[in-house]
mmCIF file with all atom_site columns, all heavy atoms in Angstrom:
data_model
loop_
_atom_site.group_PDB
_atom_site.id
_atom_site.type_symbol
_atom_site.label_atom_id
_atom_site.label_alt_id
_atom_site.label_comp_id
_atom_site.label_asym_id
_atom_site.label_entity_id
_atom_site.label_seq_id
_atom_site.pdbx_PDB_ins_code
_atom_site.Cartn_x
_atom_site.Cartn_y
_atom_site.Cartn_z
_atom_site.occupancy
_atom_site.B_iso_or_equiv
_atom_site.pdbx_formal_charge
_atom_site.auth_seq_id
_atom_site.auth_comp_id
_atom_site.auth_asym_id
_atom_site.auth_atom_id
_atom_site.pdbx_PDB_model_num
ATOM 1   N N   . LYS I 1 430 ? 214.377 81.640 18.834 1.00 0.00 ? 430 LYS I N   1
ATOM 2   C CA  . LYS I 1 430 ? 213.045 81.291 19.305 1.00 0.00 ? 430 LYS I CA  1
ATOM 3   C C   . LYS I 1 430 ? 212.829 79.784 19.391 1.00 0.00 ? 430 LYS I C   1
ATOM 4   O O   . LYS I 1 430 ? 212.068 79.307 20.227 1.00 0.00 ? 430 LYS I O   1
ATOM 5   C CB  . LYS I 1 430 ? 211.969 81.938 18.440 1.00 0.00 ? 430 LYS I CB  1
ATOM 6   C CG  . LYS I 1 430 ? 211.829 81.396 17.036 1.00 0.00 ? 430 LYS I CG  1
ATOM 7   C CD  . LYS I 1 430 ? 210.701 82.118 16.305 1.00 0.00 ? 430 LYS I CD  1
ATOM 8   C CE  . LYS I 1 430 ? 210.489 81.565 14.903 1.00 0.00 ? 430 LYS I CE  1
ATOM 9   N NZ  . LYS I 1 430 ? 209.397 82.293 14.211 1.00 0.00 ? 430 LYS I NZ  1
ATOM 10  N N   . THR I 1 431 ? 213.524 79.010 18.538 1.00 0.00 ? 431 THR I N   1
ATOM 11  C CA  . THR I 1 431 ? 213.350 77.552 18.582 1.00 0.00 ? 431 THR I CA  1
ATOM 12  C C   . THR I 1 431 ? 213.947 76.925 19.831 1.00 0.00 ? 431 THR I C   1
ATOM 13  O O   . THR I 1 431 ? 213.555 75.829 20.225 1.00 0.00 ? 431 THR I O   1
ATOM 14  C CB  . THR I 1 431 ? 213.980 76.891 17.349 1.00 0.00 ? 431 THR I CB  1
ATOM 15  O OG1 . THR I 1 431 ? 215.368 77.224 17.292 1.00 0.00 ? 431 THR I OG1 1
ATOM 16  C CG2 . THR I 1 431 ? 213.294 77.369 16.078 1.00 0.00 ? 431 THR I CG2 1
ATOM 17  N N   . THR I 1 432 ? 214.896 77.610 20.474 1.00 0.00 ? 432 THR I N   1
ATOM 18  C CA  . THR I 1 432 ? 215.520 77.053 21.682 1.00 0.00 ? 432 THR I CA  1
ATOM 19  C C   . THR I 1 432 ? 215.094 77.771 22.961 1.00 0.00 ? 432 THR I C   1
ATOM 20  O O   . THR I 1 432 ? 214.939 77.141 23.992 1.00 0.00 ? 432 THR I O   1
ATOM 21  C CB  . THR I 1 432 ? 217.046 77.124 21.566 1.00 0.00 ? 432 THR I CB  1
ATOM 22  O OG1 . THR I 1 432 ? 217.441 78.473 21.268 1.00 0.00 ? 432 THR I OG1 1
ATOM 23  C CG2 . THR I 1 432 ? 217.552 76.196 20.481 1.00 0.00 ? 432 THR I CG2 1
ATOM 24  N N   . LEU I 1 433 ? 214.890 79.093 22.873 1.00 0.00 ? 433 LEU I N   1
ATOM 25  C CA  . LEU I 1 433 ? 214.600 79.862 24.089 1.00 0.00 ? 433 LEU I CA  1
ATOM 26  C C   . LEU I 1 433 ? 213.108 80.161 24.275 1.00 0.00 ? 433 LEU I C   1
ATOM 27  O O   . LEU I 1 433 ? 212.657 80.343 25.402 1.00 0.00 ? 433 LEU I O   1
ATOM 28  C CB  . LEU I 1 433 ? 215.383 81.181 24.071 1.00 0.00 ? 433 LEU I CB  1
ATOM 29  C CG  . LEU I 1 433 ? 216.903 81.088 24.091 1.00 0.00 ? 433 LEU I CG  1
ATOM 30  C CD1 . LEU I 1 433 ? 217.518 82.484 24.062 1.00 0.00 ? 433 LEU I CD1 1
ATOM 31  C CD2 . LEU I 1 433 ? 217.378 80.328 25.315 1.00 0.00 ? 433 LEU I CD2 1
ATOM 32  N N   . PHE I 1 434 ? 212.363 80.232 23.182 1.00 0.00 ? 434 PHE I N   1
ATOM 33  C CA  . PHE I 1 434 ? 210.993 80.732 23.280 1.00 0.00 ? 434 PHE I CA  1
ATOM 34  C C   . PHE I 1 434 ? 209.979 79.733 22.739 1.00 0.00 ? 434 PHE I C   1
ATOM 35  O O   . PHE I 1 434 ? 208.904 80.103 22.300 1.00 0.00 ? 434 PHE I O   1
ATOM 36  C CB  . PHE I 1 434 ? 210.868 82.070 22.538 1.00 0.00 ? 434 PHE I CB  1
ATOM 37  C CG  . PHE I 1 434 ? 211.895 83.076 22.964 1.00 0.00 ? 434 PHE I CG  1
ATOM 38  C CD1 . PHE I 1 434 ? 212.824 83.570 22.049 1.00 0.00 ? 434 PHE I CD1 1
ATOM 39  C CD2 . PHE I 1 434 ? 211.966 83.497 24.282 1.00 0.00 ? 434 PHE I CD2 1
ATOM 40  C CE1 . PHE I 1 434 ? 213.786 84.488 22.447 1.00 0.00 ? 434 PHE I CE1 1
ATOM 41  C CE2 . PHE I 1 434 ? 212.924 84.418 24.685 1.00 0.00 ? 434 PHE I CE2 1
ATOM 42  C CZ  . PHE I 1 434 ? 213.844 84.914 23.771 1.00 0.00 ? 434 PHE I CZ  1
ATOM 43  N N   . ARG I 1 435 ? 210.313 78.486 22.770 1.00 0.00 ? 435 ARG I N   1
ATOM 44  C CA  . ARG I 1 435 ? 209.389 77.447 22.320 1.00 0.00 ? 435 ARG I CA  1
ATOM 45  C C   . ARG I 1 435 ? 208.295 77.249 23.360 1.00 0.00 ? 435 ARG I C   1
ATOM 46  O O   . ARG I 1 435 ? 208.549 77.260 24.566 1.00 0.00 ? 435 ARG I O   1
ATOM 47  C CB  . ARG I 1 435 ? 210.151 76.151 22.081 1.00 0.00 ? 435 ARG I CB  1
ATOM 48  C CG  . ARG I 1 435 ? 209.348 75.075 21.392 1.00 0.00 ? 435 ARG I CG  1
ATOM 49  C CD  . ARG I 1 435 ? 210.235 73.996 20.849 1.00 0.00 ? 435 ARG I CD  1
ATOM 50  N NE  . ARG I 1 435 ? 209.470 72.904 20.266 1.00 0.00 ? 435 ARG I NE  1
ATOM 51  C CZ  . ARG I 1 435 ? 209.983 71.978 19.473 1.00 0.00 ? 435 ARG I CZ  1
ATOM 52  N NH1 . ARG I 1 435 ? 211.266 72.015 19.174 1.00 0.00 ? 435 ARG I NH1 1
ATOM 53  N NH2 . ARG I 1 435 ? 209.232 71.014 18.982 1.00 0.00 ? 435 ARG I NH2 1
ATOM 54  N N   . ASP I 1 436 ? 207.079 77.031 22.889 1.00 0.00 ? 436 ASP I N   1
ATOM 55  C CA  . ASP I 1 436 ? 205.927 76.904 23.797 1.00 0.00 ? 436 ASP I CA  1
ATOM 56  C C   . ASP I 1 436 ? 205.101 75.677 23.420 1.00 0.00 ? 436 ASP I C   1
ATOM 57  O O   . ASP I 1 436 ? 203.898 75.762 23.217 1.00 0.00 ? 436 ASP I O   1
ATOM 58  C CB  . ASP I 1 436 ? 205.085 78.189 23.736 1.00 0.00 ? 436 ASP I CB  1
ATOM 59  C CG  . ASP I 1 436 ? 204.039 78.248 24.852 1.00 0.00 ? 436 ASP I CG  1
ATOM 60  O OD1 . ASP I 1 436 ? 204.255 77.600 25.886 1.00 0.00 ? 436 ASP I OD1 1
ATOM 61  O OD2 . ASP I 1 436 ? 203.023 78.938 24.674 1.00 0.00 ? 436 ASP I OD2 1
ATOM 62  N N   . GLY I 1 437 ? 205.777 74.555 23.296 1.00 0.00 ? 437 GLY I N   1
ATOM 63  C CA  . GLY I 1 437 ? 205.104 73.304 23.012 1.00 0.00 ? 437 GLY I CA  1
ATOM 64  C C   . GLY I 1 437 ? 204.847 73.086 21.528 1.00 0.00 ? 437 GLY I C   1
ATOM 65  O O   . GLY I 1 437 ? 205.444 73.733 20.663 1.00 0.00 ? 437 GLY I O   1
ATOM 66  N N   . LEU I 1 438 ? 203.937 72.141 21.229 1.00 0.00 ? 438 LEU I N   1
ATOM 67  C CA  . LEU I 1 438 ? 203.601 71.778 19.851 1.00 0.00 ? 438 LEU I CA  1
ATOM 68  C C   . LEU I 1 438 ? 202.128 72.073 19.576 1.00 0.00 ? 438 LEU I C   1
ATOM 69  O O   . LEU I 1 438 ? 201.293 72.059 20.485 1.00 0.00 ? 438 LEU I O   1
ATOM 70  C CB  . LEU I 1 438 ? 203.868 70.299 19.604 1.00 0.00 ? 438 LEU I CB  1
ATOM 71  C CG  . LEU I 1 438 ? 205.321 69.827 19.606 1.00 0.00 ? 438 LEU I CG  1
ATOM 72  C CD1 . LEU I 1 438 ? 205.353 68.307 19.509 1.00 0.00 ? 438 LEU I CD1 1
ATOM 73  C CD2 . LEU I 1 438 ? 206.094 70.451 18.451 1.00 0.00 ? 438 LEU I CD2 1
ATOM 74  N N   . ILE I 1 439 ? 201.841 72.309 18.327 1.00 0.00 ? 439 ILE I N   1
ATOM 75  C CA  . ILE I 1 439 ? 200.455 72.391 17.879 1.00 0.00 ? 439 ILE I CA  1
ATOM 76  C C   . ILE I 1 439 ? 200.299 71.360 16.758 1.00 0.00 ? 439 ILE I C   1
ATOM 77  O O   . ILE I 1 439 ? 201.192 71.205 15.914 1.00 0.00 ? 439 ILE I O   1
ATOM 78  C CB  . ILE I 1 439 ? 200.088 73.813 17.421 1.00 0.00 ? 439 ILE I CB  1
ATOM 79  C CG1 . ILE I 1 439 ? 198.591 73.899 17.134 1.00 0.00 ? 439 ILE I CG1 1
ATOM 80  C CG2 . ILE I 1 439 ? 200.909 74.259 16.217 1.00 0.00 ? 439 ILE I CG2 1
ATOM 81  C CD1 . ILE I 1 439 ? 198.096 75.331 16.980 1.00 0.00 ? 439 ILE I CD1 1
ATOM 82  N N   . THR I 1 440 ? 199.184 70.632 16.781 1.00 0.00 ? 440 THR I N   1
ATOM 83  C CA  . THR I 1 440 ? 198.998 69.496 15.868 1.00 0.00 ? 440 THR I CA  1
ATOM 84  C C   . THR I 1 440 ? 197.799 69.746 14.950 1.00 0.00 ? 440 THR I C   1
ATOM 85  O O   . THR I 1 440 ? 196.732 70.144 15.415 1.00 0.00 ? 440 THR I O   1
ATOM 86  C CB  . THR I 1 440 ? 198.776 68.195 16.662 1.00 0.00 ? 440 THR I CB  1
ATOM 87  O OG1 . THR I 1 440 ? 199.893 67.996 17.534 1.00 0.00 ? 440 THR I OG1 1
ATOM 88  C CG2 . THR I 1 440 ? 198.617 67.002 15.743 1.00 0.00 ? 440 THR I CG2 1
ATOM 89  N N   . GLN I 1 441 ? 198.022 69.507 13.653 1.00 0.00 ? 441 GLN I N   1
ATOM 90  C CA  . GLN I 1 441 ? 196.911 69.542 12.713 1.00 0.00 ? 441 GLN I CA  1
ATOM 91  C C   . GLN I 1 441 ? 196.291 68.148 12.675 1.00 0.00 ? 441 GLN I C   1
ATOM 92  O O   . GLN I 1 441 ? 196.960 67.162 12.335 1.00 0.00 ? 441 GLN I O   1
ATOM 93  C CB  . GLN I 1 441 ? 197.380 69.946 11.317 1.00 0.00 ? 441 GLN I CB  1
ATOM 94  C CG  . GLN I 1 441 ? 196.221 70.090 10.330 1.00 0.00 ? 441 GLN I CG  1
ATOM 95  C CD  . GLN I 1 441 ? 196.685 70.453 8.927  1.00 0.00 ? 441 GLN I CD  1
ATOM 96  O OE1 . GLN I 1 441 ? 197.884 70.380 8.621  1.00 0.00 ? 441 GLN I OE1 1
ATOM 97  N NE2 . GLN I 1 441 ? 195.771 70.835 8.061  1.00 0.00 ? 441 GLN I NE2 1
ATOM 98  N N   . VAL I 1 442 ? 194.990 68.088 13.037 1.00 0.00 ? 442 VAL I N   1
ATOM 99  C CA  . VAL I 1 442 ? 194.299 66.812 13.185 1.00 0.00 ? 442 VAL I CA  1
ATOM 100 C C   . VAL I 1 442 ? 193.138 66.738 12.192 1.00 0.00 ? 442 VAL I C   1
ATOM 101 O O   . VAL I 1 442 ? 192.364 67.705 12.051 1.00 0.00 ? 442 VAL I O   1
ATOM 102 C CB  . VAL I 1 442 ? 193.758 66.637 14.628 1.00 0.00 ? 442 VAL I CB  1
ATOM 103 C CG1 . VAL I 1 442 ? 192.933 65.360 14.731 1.00 0.00 ? 442 VAL I CG1 1
ATOM 104 C CG2 . VAL I 1 442 ? 194.906 66.626 15.609 1.00 0.00 ? 442 VAL I CG2 1
#
Side-chain angles (χ1 to χ4, degrees):
K430 70 178 182 181
T431 58
T432 53
L433 297 180
F434 308 118
R435 190 164 176 165
D436 191 25
L438 292 173
I439 187 167
T440 303
Q441 184 182 12
V442 175

